[in-house]
Structures are given as structure tokens and as C-alpha cells.
Amino acid sequence: MNTYIAVATKARAMYGECLTNEDFANLMNKKTVAEIFAYLKANSSYKRFFKDLSETDVHRGEIEKLLWKEISDEYKRIQNFVDDSKSQVLQFWFARHEVDFLKHSIRNIYNHENAMYRFGGNDEFDEFFKKHTMIDVEMCKNATCLSDFAKACERTVYAETLNRAESVNADYFSIAMSLDGLFYKLLWGSADKYLSGNEKKLFEDFVGTDVDMLNIMWIYRSKKYFKFDNKIIYTYLLPVKYKLNDALLTSMVEAQDPENIPKLLENTKYKDLFDGVEDGYFIEENYRRKRYRINKKIFRTNPETIAGLFAYLGLKELEILNITRIIEGIRYDINPELIKKHLGIV
């Protein structure tokens, strides 16, 4: 019990340093990137990383580097503080970034690009990534074909998926979807392997709810924007089932009109994903706001659990995303009220 209390105390202390809605309102009313930097330097936990940088020298890329430096630092602090079972599951936060790194790097090959992947443009986080991953990062950066990625990942759980993709000459889209499916399958399975009791129940609700929402968005976007064949849609549904049963999933995939999908969800907890869509809101924006509410609720009620720790890291990532969106809005002189519409806060 002392361990749980210590974890909760540590997590609450870090959460207490998160930006508030008032902070975001103040940031949205700044006129320049330098003013945003000065505010964060004086009024946020990021000041410990900003202390050696002057407002006169600052630019957007430099701010993003330092923002991501903090979240990698906090992940390390949490990992050092939890017991072995929590640590094993918490590693999937890092694995999510491994999957993103692989998808980005493989896309370079398929699209004949040479855009280096950086977490928020952050060299510091790159070094953290290289230190903790079993992927041969340099081999990925110099890869010329899919077999190079399979070899770079031969000591990881991604190797089989990449080898299979190479054997069938898969396109980039199929590879990316397969990597996402593998990630959520392993994440879901980690609950059975490492968790029990209420902790397991909370984590399954946390992950299962997210998978349900991602599947809903996949189905809706596939039908509305890409006109995919139903067989394709079924193929790439994430391989985890939570509150969406087979009958409901089938009804959504087989819907003749994508605008019928919200009606099928009217009696579920996912109906608000479509709030305001007819007025120009994107379902992805509702997803971010819903994730924000879920993360905040879980963290406030169960900060000592693995779901609570994932929720905290999710809140920090969303905070960084919101800051970068505000910076972009200020750079292009966008009205603060319009910027707010696209932030993942409520």
C-alpha cells in the first residue's frame, strides 16, 4: 500500500504543474512566439528547460524541442518510481512511439522522401529513444527497402509483422495498419499478463474505450471520405473488442450512408464523437476532447494505477500538442476563439 501511496503522491505533484484552462486562454491572447515563450518560462513547469534560452533567440522549433524534453524526462521519472508489473505495462507508452517511428521511416521509403523522424522535432528525445529501443535506429534511417526494416527490428516484436508484409509485397497503408493492430493487441494482452483486480479492470476500460473510438473513426472516415470497400474496412479494424459488439460493428461497416453511423451509436457512450460534425467539427477533434475528459477523470480518481499513469502522460502529450497549435495560430494571426475550437481541452 505504501508503494501505491507514493506513486499517487508523485503523480499528483507532476499533474499539479500542468497548464490550466486559464493558462491556455492567456497563451491564445499572446501576439508573438516570443511572448508565448516568455509566459511559459515564467508560469509553467517548462521553465527548468527554458532557463538558458532568451526570448530574443527563441523560435518555434526550439520551443517544441524543450517541451518534448520534459515529457521524456517525466516518463523516465515515473518508470523509476513504479513496481515491475506497472513498469512492464508502462513501456507501451514508449512502444507507441516506436510504432510511430517505424511508420514514418517506412513511409519515407514508399514515398521516396527523406524526412527524419523526430519527436516534436526534438534531438533530446531522439537520444532518449535510441537509448531505450531495441530497434536499430541507424539502419532504419539508412534503409532502402522493407527488408532493411525487418532486419533492424529482428530483436523486437515488430519483426514478424514486417517480414510478413515483405513476403506479400504489402503497400505502406497495409503495413501501417498492421503495426497499429499489433500495438493494440499487445497492449490489451499486457493487462492479462501483468495486472489483476480493479487495476486490470480500470486499464481495460481505459484501453478498450480508446480502441472502440478509433474503430468508430476508422469506419466513418473510410466510408465518408475514402469510399473503401467493406472488406477492406473489416480487415483493418483494431483487433480488440470492448463495448462495441459484433452486431453493432457490422451495422456500422455495412451502413449504406456514413451519416447513419451516428444514429447507430445514439444509445452508447460514444454518441458525442459526432457532436457538431454537421456544423464543421471534425470527429477527430471530438475524439481529442473526449480523450482529455477521460484522461482527466481517470487520473483524478485513480492516479496510482497504470491507467492513471497512462492518463497523465496522455494529458501531457495533449498539452504539448495544444501549445504547438497555439503557436501556429499566433504565427498566422488566427483569432483566439478559432484556435480554441481546435484544441483538445474543454
Side-chain angles (χ1 to χ4, degrees):
M1 181 59 71
N2 288 337
T3 300
Y4 280 85
I5 293 173
V7 171
T9 301
K10 183 73 171 178
R12 285 194 179 103
M14 290 191 296
Y15 178 73
E17 296 181 332
C18 287
L19 298 181
T20 64
N21 285 356
E22 181 180 356
D23 287 320
F24 283 120
N26 289 332
L27 289 173
M28 283 185 283
N29 284 304
K30 301 304 178 187
K31 302 300 181 184
T32 65
V33 173
E35 288 181 11
I36 291 175
F37 173 80
Y39 183 88
L40 292 171
K41 186 175 182 179
N43 300 284
S44 76
S45 62
Y46 301 108
K47 59 188 175 186
R48 59 194 174 112
F49 297 106
F50 287 3
K51 58 184 175 62
D52 296 325
L53 192 62
S54 167
E55 290 94 312
T56 58
D57 302 324
V58 73
H59 56 83
R60 172 195 170 184
E62 194 67 30
I63 293 177
E64 290 183 11
K65 287 181 183 181
L66 298 172
L67 295 176
W68 280 94
K69 181 173 174 57
E70 182 180 59
I71 195 169
S72 61
D73 183 67
E74 293 200 343
Y75 170 74
K76 288 185 286 186
R77 287 160 62 192
I78 292 172
Q79 275 285 21
N80 291 334
F81 216 74
V82 298
D83 60 31
D84 287 343
S85 64
K86 281 189 175 66
S87 179
Q88 291 294 328
V89 181
L90 194 61
Q91 288 179 22
F92 280 94
W93 179 83
F94 180 76
R96 175 72 264 176
H97 292 289
E98 287 185 317
V99 169
D100 288 344
F101 166 76
L102 286 173
K103 291 196 298 184
H104 179 95
S105 301
I106 293 170
R107 186 172 68 241
N108 282 345
I109 300 300
Y110 278 76
N111 293 346
H112 306 290
E113 297 175 350
N114 191 30
M116 185 176 294
Y117 180 75
R118 297 178 187 275
F119 295 92
N122 186 356
D123 294 322
E124 300 289 346
F125 201 61
D126 275 349
E127 291 305 314
F128 164 73
F129 180 76
K130 291 176 187 177
K131 181 178 178 180
H132 289 81
T133 187
M134 294 180 70
I135 297 171
D136 188 326
V137 173
E138 291 307 313
M139 185 177 291
C140 287
K141 289 181 178 179
N142 296 313
T144 59
C145 59
L146 189 57
S147 61
D148 290 339
F149 289 100
K151 186 175 181 181
C153 293
E154 60 186 3
R155 296 189 299 153
T156 76
V157 295
Y158 313 115
E160 181 180 352
T161 296
L162 294 174
N163 280 319
R164 186 168 59 249
E166 184 188 13
S167 70
V168 299
N169 196 28
D171 58 22
Y172 169 72
F173 177 80
S174 299
I175 297 168
M177 296 296 283
S178 295
L179 286 169
D180 284 337
L182 173 65
F183 170 77
Y184 280 101
K185 180 181 177 180
L186 294 174
L187 178 63
W188 184 256
S190 69
D192 280 331
K193 192 172 182 180
Y194 299 110
L195 305 176
S196 61
N198 189 55
E199 177 129 40
K200 178 183 176 183
K201 182 179 179 182
L202 283 169
F203 187 69
E204 288 181 337
D205 183 64
F206 180 77
V207 175
T209 298
D210 196 37
V211 171
D212 280 352
M213 291 192 292
L214 291 172
N215 276 334
I216 290 168
M217 289 194 295
W218 161 243
I219 295 169
Y220 182 76
R221 287 178 58 81
S222 296
K223 298 184 79 67
K224 184 175 178 66
Y225 301 112
F226 305 112
K227 315 302 181 185
F228 284 158
D229 185 271
N230 291 346
K231 291 180 180 179
I232 297 294
I233 299 175
Y234 282 122
T235 299
Y236 295 115
L237 288 173
L238 294 174
V240 172
K241 293 179 182 176
Y242 188 53
K243 296 297 185 182
L244 299 179
N245 57 38
D246 288 337
L248 184 51
L249 281 169
T250 300
S251 295
M252 287 191 290
V253 175
E254 300 292 335
Q256 294 297 312
D257 185 344
E259 303 311 325
N260 290 332
I261 293 176
K263 299 174 184 176
L264 296 171
L265 296 166
E266 283 182 348
N267 295 319
T268 75
K269 64 178 182 178
Y270 306 119
K271 62 180 181 179
D272 53 349
L273 280 175
F274 295 91
D275 285 354
V277 169
E278 66 280 1
D279 297 322
Y281 275 100
F282 288 105
I283 187 173
E284 291 81 5
E285 294 170 342
N286 286 332
Y287 166 75
R288 284 192 294 271
R289 278 185 281 272
K290 192 171 179 68
R291 285 305 308 170
Y292 173 81
R293 292 193 296 268
I294 291 170
N295 287 347
K296 200 166 185 179
K297 179 179 178 181
I298 289 177
F299 181 79
R300 283 181 167 176
T301 55
N302 296 278
E304 77 287 353
T305 66
I306 191 65
L309 297 176
F310 264 90
Y312 171 73
L313 290 169
L315 289 168
K316 287 298 292 186
E317 288 187 284
L318 187 56
E319 179 174 285
I320 292 172
L321 179 62
N322 285 336
I323 293 171
T324 57
R325 283 188 171 154
I326 291 171
I327 291 173
E328 278 297 286
I330 298 302
R331 287 180 66 204
Y332 292 102
D333 197 28
I334 296 174
N335 183 283
E337 286 303 312
L338 184 57
I339 297 174
K340 184 178 180 180
K341 283 183 65 175
H342 298 287
L343 300 185
I345 57 176
V346 293

